[in-house]
Each structure stands twice: as structure tokens, then as C-alpha cells.
Amino acid sequence: MDAADAADATAADLAAATPVDEGGDSLGGGKAKRRKGAAVAPPPPPPPPPPPAERLAPRSILRGHSQAVTGVAWAGISLVVSASMDGTVRSWDAATAQSSHTVGGLKGVQALALSSDVRGGGGGGGGGGDATGALLAATGHDNGLVQLWDARARPSEAAAARLLSHTRWVSALAFAPASPYRLLSASHDGCLKVWDIRGKLPLHTLGAHGAAKVLCAAWGGKDGRAILSGGADCRLLVHATAHTEQ
């Protein structure tokens, strides 16, 4: 064997001895052909799709309003109160889906709240039976008016009081959990107001949101007298009110 034949044999031996990865590259840095018949692992299967979200059908549908419904509240186990842009406040029997009472002739209603002494027959929020007797509701309107109603009285006798102080759209209402007479209102005029509904003027006016609209408000805190508000200024504000219940 001459020198040329020896060199070719040595190169062939080195190529056969060089390990090759799955992509055909030699681990020693050179290129090599994949061996014929070598098995390639298949890609993993895609994950299964998530199960569809469960959709619960409504138990009943209450029909009667002719425009957008803007407020709802439970007044007992089956007693429901609603407010609408059609200018009405309606009481319903949720079990039969029938409207039992309607107060009409209002300017478009934007917010609704029920006094704590009628929800569930004594502040239970629907857990202690249906309310009996008067059903005190507060409604907020786009002209700044807060109106108090007995939602069970005849239309000619339903209006209880009118609270006038806000200058723009009333966006939220809430009765204090500890008092059926203490009402909180929020408005696009940037103010929160605390009322004793037995009077005509607000007890407190909180203007911490400045010129921004106040969009929502709620009572809370350790003693139920703190106020939480949210506004178009992207802020949540906590307010403390000091008062003595009578």
C-alpha cells in the first residue's frame, strides 16, 4: 500500500469513528451523514383544549322595563326591587317573575339603594324573610336629585322626600349598614354626600376627587362608618366620618 492509499484509509477510519448527533452534525465539529434507518423521536402532542366554561341559564326572567335597568336590590327571599332609565321603580316576586308594584313618572333613574330596615325584614339582606309594610328606596337621577320612595305605596303617595344638593348625575347610593337613616350618595360633580334622610341638607360633603366624577361608593370599615369611593381619576379613596347615631 502506497502513501496515498494509507492516507485515504486513515481518513475513512476517522469518519466512521466520529460520533454524530441527531441533526447530522458530528460532535467533533465536522459534518456527517445520518445513518440510514436511524429513528427520530416525534414531537410531543399539543396539550388538550381547556374544558368549556359552564354557562348557567337564568332561573327566571323578569320583564317589564322598557329601557335600561340601572339598579337592582334584594328586599327579601323573593322580593326584588329594580330601577330603570324608563323612569320607574318596580317591585317583583322573583319566584313568579311578576311585577307586584310600580312607581313611575321619574326622570331616568341612575342608582338605587334600599334602607337597611327593610332588606330581609330587618337588615338581613334577603336572609330573614320578605320585608313587610313600607319599602324605603332611594333613587339617584341624572339631574342631581336624590329621591326617597316607599316602593310599596300607591304612586300618588310613594314620594317620601327629595334631597337636593348634587349638581350633576348621581351615580351611586348606599344606606349605612348600621342605620336605616344614613344615606351615602356619589355624583359626577366630584362629591360624596352623607345624609340623614329625616332632614333636607347633607351632613357631610366630601370633595376629595376634585373635578373628577365619582363613580361608585360604599360603606365599610370596623364600625361601618368608613366610606370607600372610586372615581374617574383612577383612584380609590377611604374617608372617615365621625357621627353619633340618633
Side-chain angles (χ1 to χ4, degrees):
M1 181 183 294
D2 58 18
D5 292 338
D8 290 341
T10 301
D13 293 339
L14 287 174
T18 302
V20 178
D21 65 11
E22 290 184 357
D25 293 337
S26 70
L27 298 180
K31 288 282 187 181
K33 291 183 179 178
R34 183 181 294 142
R35 283 187 305 222
K36 213 169 184 184
V40 178
E54 183 180 6
R55 301 189 65 175
L56 299 177
R59 188 170 62 181
S60 59
I61 300 176
L62 284 57
R63 303 184 187 276
H65 288 297
S66 59
Q67 295 187 42
V69 176
T70 53
V72 293
W74 287 97
I77 294 174
S78 62
L79 181 60
V80 175
V81 180
S82 63
S84 169
M85 287 292 291
D86 63 12
T88 64
V89 174
R90 290 177 177 263
S91 302
W92 307 80
D93 184 331
T96 63
Q98 297 298 312
S99 177
S100 57
H101 196 81
T102 301
V103 176
L106 316 179
K107 192 171 175 62
V109 184
Q110 309 298 333
L112 171 71
L114 296 184
S115 178
S116 60
D117 66 341
V118 298
R119 293 198 308 267
D130 285 342
T132 58
L135 181 59
L136 183 61
T139 53
H141 304 266
D142 54 15
N143 61 354
L145 172 68
V146 176
Q147 177 78 60
L148 300 175
W149 303 91
D150 180 353
R152 281 182 163 171
R154 290 179 296 180
S156 61
E157 302 173 352
R162 293 161 58 92
L163 304 178
L164 294 168
S165 184
H166 286 297
T167 58
R168 297 183 65 189
W169 186 309
V170 176
S171 52
L173 295 168
F175 278 96
S179 171
Y181 304 112
R182 200 57 47 97
L183 177 66
L184 172 65
S185 61
S187 170
H188 287 191
D189 62 12
C191 293
L192 295 160
K193 293 181 184 286
V194 178
W195 308 80
D196 185 321
I197 62 173
R198 295 167 293 187
K200 295 291 187 181
L201 298 176
L203 300 176
H204 307 283
T205 297
L206 308 172
H209 285 274
K213 300 173 182 177
V214 186
L215 303 176
C216 50
W219 294 96
K222 183 178 179 180
D223 58 1
R225 296 178 182 177
I227 293 171
L228 178 65
S229 64
D233 55 1
C234 306
R235 296 188 300 162
L236 290 165
L237 301 179
V238 178
H239 315 266
T241 61
H243 58 263
T244 302
E245 298 293 348
Q246 297 181 355

